[in-house]
Amino acid sequence: MNLNPRNPIGVFDSGIGGLTVAHAIREVLPHESIIYFGDTAHLPYGDKSAAAVQAYSIKIADVLMGMGCKVIVIACNSASSAAYELLKEYAGKRAKIINVIDPMVAYLSENYAHKKVGLIGTKRTVSSNVYLEKLEILNKEIELVSLATPLLVPMIEEGFFNNRISAEIIEKYLGDNIFRDISGLVLGCTHYPLISKQIQRYFSDKVDILDSSEITANHLKKYLLNEGLINDIEVVKDQFLVSDYTDSFEASTKIFFKEKVKLEKHILWE
Ligand code: DGL
């Protein structure tokens, strides 16, 4: 791959939630420019078919590659599970594609051999079985138990976190018997970092809460360093694109990116 270190990093998600991943990248790579694409016209991806998510992902990759992105980070777990292999093939040598699942799987295989680990995510992510398949290949005897937790995304988007209602929903899901005796819990969705402290409290700090946004950002940094692709000029110019604009999308950027950002509308299909 002949990529230019000065070029931006593309990050995409079904909506605004992937800003948690963009924010984690911003923290570890402060000199990189980020172009974020939130496919707000087609969210949620978590309830869509793999074929639909693949079609949206290809369209978004075209936009990001057209803007010169050296790397495209699939911030969305649902899109990572449905479209990573396809996007990698499609991008070829034009851009490096990074997903949020492989860095987590590598982390688990290094730290959780012979242990039991839980996973929560959307229906799309959990039903794909992709974590399980990837872990089985590495053969580290990690027992993975997973549960789709579809109420959590709308709950967080409506601002219900760190309160009694969210505590009850979290308890309902995580009280499932399958999670008994887990050592770690993978937060397999863009939105879940916002409830990680509440989940930690639910488990009385006895379970490691594994945030894929941080693990992916560190993986990206390592990749850029190894490939000589780190941007050494300190001119950061971020852009935040969405396929559909509403004031409430813009307002919720503050929840996920910790500061409000200006969204630009970029239609995917005319
Ligand atoms: N971004 C999605 C994910 O990480 C959650 C929201 C959705 O279903 O689109 O799986």
Side-chain angles (χ1 to χ4, degrees), residues 65-172:
M65 286 192 290
M67 295 174 86
C69 292
K70 57 186 173 190
V71 178
I72 296 176
V73 179
I74 313 174
C76 178
N77 256 268
S78 305
S80 291
S81 67
Y84 170 62
E85 295 299 335
L86 182 72
L87 276 194
K88 201 167 64 159
E89 203 172 309
Y90 182 69
K93 290 189 175 358
R94 293 180 290 167
K96 167 79 177 171
I97 308 290
I98 286 180
N99 65 63
V100 286
I101 295 172
D102 287 325
M104 178 60 78
V105 167
Y107 185 85
L108 291 176
S109 76
E110 278 163 28
N111 298 288
Y112 289 87
H114 305 285
K115 290 187 177 161
K116 180 174 172 184
V117 172
L119 163 75
I120 50 173
T122 64
K123 290 180 193 167
R124 172 82 273 125
T125 299
V126 170
S127 71
S128 75
N129 277 327
V130 65
Y131 281 88
L132 200 63
E133 283 165 13
K134 287 181 188 248
L135 279 171
E136 269 173 12
I137 293 169
L138 297 174
N139 201 17
K140 291 288 173 90
E141 299 198 16
I142 296 170
E143 184 190 350
L144 184 79
V145 288
S146 52
L147 185 72
T149 49
L151 265 184
L152 297 183
V153 164
M155 176 190 93
I156 293 165
E157 285 184 349
E158 290 304 323
F160 289 93
F161 47 92
N162 296 329
N163 66 16
R164 192 174 46 79
I165 293 173
S166 59
E168 276 184 27
I169 296 174
I170 288 168
E171 194 178 328
K172 175 84 190 125

Side-chain angles (χ1 to χ4, degrees), residues 13-15 17-18 43-47 75-79 122 125 153 157 188-191:
D13 178 45
S14 55
L43 64 80
Y45 281 5
D47 299 336
C76 178
N77 256 268
S78 305
T122 64
T125 299
V153 164
E157 285 184 349
C189 176
T190 45
H191 291 53

Side-chain angles (χ1 to χ4, degrees), residues 148-211:
T149 49
L151 265 184
L152 297 183
V153 164
M155 176 190 93
I156 293 165
E157 285 184 349
E158 290 304 323
F160 289 93
F161 47 92
N162 296 329
N163 66 16
R164 192 174 46 79
I165 293 173
S166 59
E168 276 184 27
I169 296 174
I170 288 168
E171 194 178 328
K172 175 84 190 125
Y173 281 135
L174 299 181
D176 196 298
N177 257 338
I178 59 166
F179 292 125
R180 195 177 294 163
D181 301 327
I182 52 171
S183 304
L185 180 76
V186 176
L187 305 184
C189 176
T190 45
H191 291 53
Y192 302 172
L194 281 139
I195 50 169
S196 71
K197 293 227 160 56
Q198 222 179 344
I199 293 178
Q200 204 154 13
R201 276 201 297 279
Y202 171 76
F203 286 115
S204 311
D205 291 323
K206 291 195 179 100
V207 169
D208 305 329
I209 308 304
L210 308 169
D211 179 344

